Amino acid sequence: MNKVYKYTEEQLKEDMRLVQVIPHQRQIVYQEMEFFCFIHFTVNTYTGREWGTGDEPENIFHPVKMDAKQWAKAAKDGGMKGIILTCKHHDGFCLWPSKYTEHSVKNSPYKEGKGDIVKEVADACREYGLKFGIYLSPWDRNSKYYGEGDAYNDYYVNQLEELLTSYGDIFVVWLDGACGEGENGKYQSYDWDRYFEVIRRLQPNACIFGCGPDIRWCGNEAGQTRPSEWSVVPADMADAEKVSSLSQHEDNIKFRERGIDSTLMDLGSRERLKNEEKLIFYPAETNFSIRPGWFYHPEEDDKVRDFENLKDIYLKSVGGNTTMLLNVPPTPEGLLHEKDVAVLSQLGNFIREAFADNIALQAQMSSLPLTDVQGNDVQVLKTDNMDSYFENPVGMRELEIALEWEKEQRIAYLVLKEAIQFSQRVEQFAISCIREEGTEETVYEGTVIGHKKIVPLGDIKTRKLKVRITDARVAPILSFIGVYGK
């Protein structure tokens, strides 16, 4: 070890305060899912809009080849663990036969008004072993109640209850802060606390994204990520998400594709949090579309993201302590376009193949300190299970782990995980390899780990790797080390 950190009593007290902020079990489950599919589908698919006006005739919605199983298969093949459906976007058109509005699939020609897209997608998810989530836009440009205060909140809750009680388990309720003027010239004040109460009561295991307390927006819609993504952040960030964001503008494509503002880069460092009295565990999600728009537009068929771009975002988002939500919009026929499906298949094959063979299982593994506070040796890190972990003594912020093989290995990726049930702790780490001539070379230096860090190592050749945690809050608690070759 290069250096032994010595805490002052004040420093230890502050770090102890930070690591007391831990996730709820529903957040842990959500992060372990890692990668999901977003489906944007409504009347906009037929009008060419990104935002509907709310006055579209219901009879334009007619997906003549509608196949939710094709969607689910493509998501499964792409390596995704769930689908989130836009059950109602800002236009107010409902993909289920809601009894609270006529602006619904029940008045469309689809299955002669007997169709229910939400049910079809929920059923397809179950068939393909995926979880099902819902998006229900708070802004409804069709509802006569919008802008009428409690009357609209009653309407919204009624529709929320329909979705949460009719389609089985829901893993996430995805909410944004879109808020516009109603026909009466009034803006609607959303009763967020009431919405949250309904979700917790009817689907207690569901996370609430965005305008809610469980999962936060990463801050852009371009698939960009921070190099240091902290899950422990100021509590008022949850309130900040409850407002209209810059993304909620129909023509604001430039914002969707912008990088992260540098002023927002640091959300959870020690320096950032030292004067914050209230903290929450609020992990990020990287959400973006496979095309420039969220809804399908035929003129974008030649603008589908390619495999290398999606691979890069996957490694930086799922591999950078965020979940990844990739939107794939169906065509007017009700099918995912063949170009989108093809690139999803490439991505899924990469995920399955690149991380299939953990060669750390064949390595001799040792550590300093030799054992953790429970007397475990470092072999527990070969098991990808949060219930087994290696925990340093309080105040020992450094940990060194060596992996050595009998023969030289070609190594592409190294994966690290913290036991995040004990909060997010690692502040700095480094990876080095021992060359054949015996020299040690640092090949990677990083900051945070969190739920998962994927370290790209190119194609190095070595018989020995060292992982050094050089700084952590209170003490590092790792749960997994994986090494994957070419």
Side-chain angles (χ1 to χ4, degrees):
M1 308 294 283
N2 296 329
K3 174 182 176 183
V4 176
Y5 285 94
K6 292 186 178 179
Y7 268 141
T8 66
E9 185 175 343
E10 182 179 355
Q11 289 170 332
L12 181 58
K13 181 179 180 181
E14 172 61 11
D15 270 10
M16 289 294 289
R17 182 180 78 96
L18 300 183
V19 302
Q20 287 172 3
V21 184
I22 61 175
H24 188 279
Q25 181 62 27
R26 71 174 72 90
Q27 293 173 302
I28 293 175
V29 171
Y30 195 87
Q31 285 197 279
E32 288 181 332
M33 288 177 65
E34 299 184 345
F35 182 25
F36 332 112
C37 185
F38 215 172
I39 298 285
H40 274 63
F41 192 46
T42 186
V43 290
N44 295 346
T45 308
Y46 301 87
T47 64
R49 292 178 177 271
E50 281 290 291
W51 280 16
T53 58
D55 58 3
E56 295 85 359
E58 292 81 18
N59 63 15
I60 68 171
F61 185 82
H62 193 196
V64 294
K65 295 183 180 180
M66 174 69 204
D67 188 354
K69 291 183 180 180
Q70 186 238 12
W71 304 0
K73 183 180 185 302
K76 184 81 170 182
D77 290 347
M80 304 182 192
K81 302 295 178 60
I83 291 178
I84 303 171
L85 176 67
T86 56
C87 302
K88 182 184 78 171
H89 205 252
H90 310 330
D91 49 73
F93 183 81
C94 298
L95 294 184
W96 79 102
S98 175
K99 64 182 180 182
Y100 297 103
T101 182
E102 295 305 305
H103 199 46
S104 159
V105 68
K106 69 185 178 184
N107 288 317
S108 78
Y110 179 62
K111 292 189 175 179
E112 299 180 341
K114 304 298 182 184
D116 185 340
I117 303 293
V118 178
K119 183 179 187 302
E120 290 183 44
V121 178
D123 289 348
C125 283
R126 279 189 287 272
E127 181 173 336
Y128 281 86
L130 303 171
K131 293 189 178 183
F132 178 61
I134 64 169
Y135 167 103
L136 184 68
S137 171
W139 187 18
D140 189 322
R141 303 180 81 176
N142 175 268
S143 175
K144 64 182 179 180
Y145 301 114
Y146 194 85
E148 296 292 345
D150 289 344
Y152 178 74
N153 285 320
D154 289 343
Y155 172 78
Y156 185 84
V157 165
N158 285 335
Q159 291 194 325
L160 192 58
E161 289 181 340
E162 284 184 317
L163 292 171
L164 296 178
T165 58
S166 303
Y167 301 99
D169 290 338
I170 304 295
F171 84 96
V172 64
V173 178
W174 209 94
L175 300 173
D176 60 34
C179 184
E181 188 176 300
E183 289 184 0
N184 50 24
K186 299 177 182 177
Y187 283 89
Q188 176 65 35
S189 178
Y190 302 139
D191 192 346
W192 294 112
D193 290 339
R194 184 180 174 194
Y195 304 166
F196 300 162
E197 185 280 325
V198 171
I199 297 167
R200 290 287 190 251
R201 174 166 46 85
L202 298 178
Q203 294 281 348
N205 295 321
C207 278
I208 305 173
F209 168 88
C211 296
D214 297 324
I215 310 294
R216 64 179 166 83
W217 182 47
C218 69
N220 73 99
E221 295 176 355
Q224 301 231 0
T225 54
R226 296 176 180 84
S228 302
E229 192 68 77
W230 284 100
S231 297
V232 177
V233 297
D236 60 11
M237 282 199 65
D239 293 326
E241 297 292 345
K242 296 178 185 177
V243 299
S244 278
S245 67
L246 287 173
S247 69
Q248 298 305 317
H249 190 287
E250 180 175 15
D251 300 317
N252 206 345
I253 297 292
K254 288 183 179 179
F255 175 80
R256 295 189 192 127
E257 294 302 325
R258 74 177 178 85
I260 299 171
D261 190 301
S262 61
T263 64
L264 301 175
M265 290 296 279
D266 181 9
L267 299 178
S269 69
R270 287 181 175 119
E271 183 67 22
R272 174 69 180 85
L273 300 182
K274 68 179 182 181
N275 295 319
E276 296 287 344
E277 292 185 8
K278 295 183 179 179
L279 305 173
I280 55 174
F281 198 93
Y282 202 27
E285 180 164 278
T286 302
N287 57 314
F288 64 106
S289 186
I290 201 168
R291 292 162 173 260
W294 288 98
F295 290 92
Y296 177 82
H297 309 292
E299 63 272 21
E300 295 178 356
D301 284 349
D302 62 348
K303 297 179 176 63
V304 177
R305 292 178 185 266
D306 62 26
F307 161 68
E308 290 296 334
N309 177 255
L310 292 181
K311 170 186 168 183
D312 181 65
I313 296 174
Y314 176 87
L315 293 173
K316 291 176 179 176
S317 59
V318 171
N321 194 39
T322 85
T323 51
M324 175 170 153
L325 178 60
L326 174 61
N327 179 66
V328 189
T331 68
E333 292 183 319
L335 298 172
L336 301 185
H337 193 278
E338 59 183 11
K339 289 187 176 180
D340 304 55
V341 172
V343 75
L344 287 181
S345 179
Q346 284 183 283
L347 180 61
N349 287 338
F350 162 74
I351 295 169
R352 284 183 289 272
E353 293 169 7
F355 302 100
D357 183 18
N358 180 12
I359 61 175
L361 298 176
Q362 286 80 51
Q364 293 294 320
M365 195 180 290
S366 59
S367 66
L368 290 173
L370 296 176
T371 60
D372 75 351
V373 295
Q374 304 295 331
N376 297 317
D377 67 32
V378 76
Q379 306 303 318
V380 297
L381 298 183
K382 291 183 177 181
T383 303
D384 191 0
N385 186 328
M386 283 180 56
D387 293 332
S388 61
Y389 47 83
F390 191 94
E391 179 181 1
N392 265 20
V394 169
M396 184 181 289
R397 293 190 276 173
E398 290 190 329
L399 171 63
E400 181 179 294
I401 300 166
L403 299 97
E404 188 167 1
W405 293 268
E406 291 184 2
K407 297 179 180 180
E408 185 178 71
Q409 305 291 320
R410 294 178 62 189
I411 299 173
Y413 301 103
L414 183 140
V415 174
L416 299 172
K417 293 185 177 183
E418 293 186 66
I420 59 169
Q421 67 267 39
F422 300 105
S423 195
Q424 186 181 355
R425 296 174 174 236
V426 174
E427 292 259 355
Q428 297 281 343
F429 71 95
I431 311 297
S432 62
C433 71
I434 311 302
R435 299 300 186 184
E436 281 299 315
E437 63 273 18
T439 59
E440 184 170 340
E441 177 185 350
T442 299
V443 292
Y444 188 90
E445 292 181 310
T447 56
V448 302
I449 295 174
H451 165 258
K452 188 173 190 176
K453 179 67 179 181
I454 300 176
V455 178
L457 294 176
D459 187 18
I460 65 170
K461 297 179 180 179
T462 186
R463 289 183 57 246
K464 188 173 183 179
L465 278 180
K466 285 186 180 180
V467 179
R468 290 189 176 92
I469 309 301
T470 55
D471 188 16
R473 296 173 181 180
V474 179
I477 309 180
L478 297 187
S479 67
F480 178 67
I481 293 180
V483 181
Y484 303 90
K486 283 286 189 179

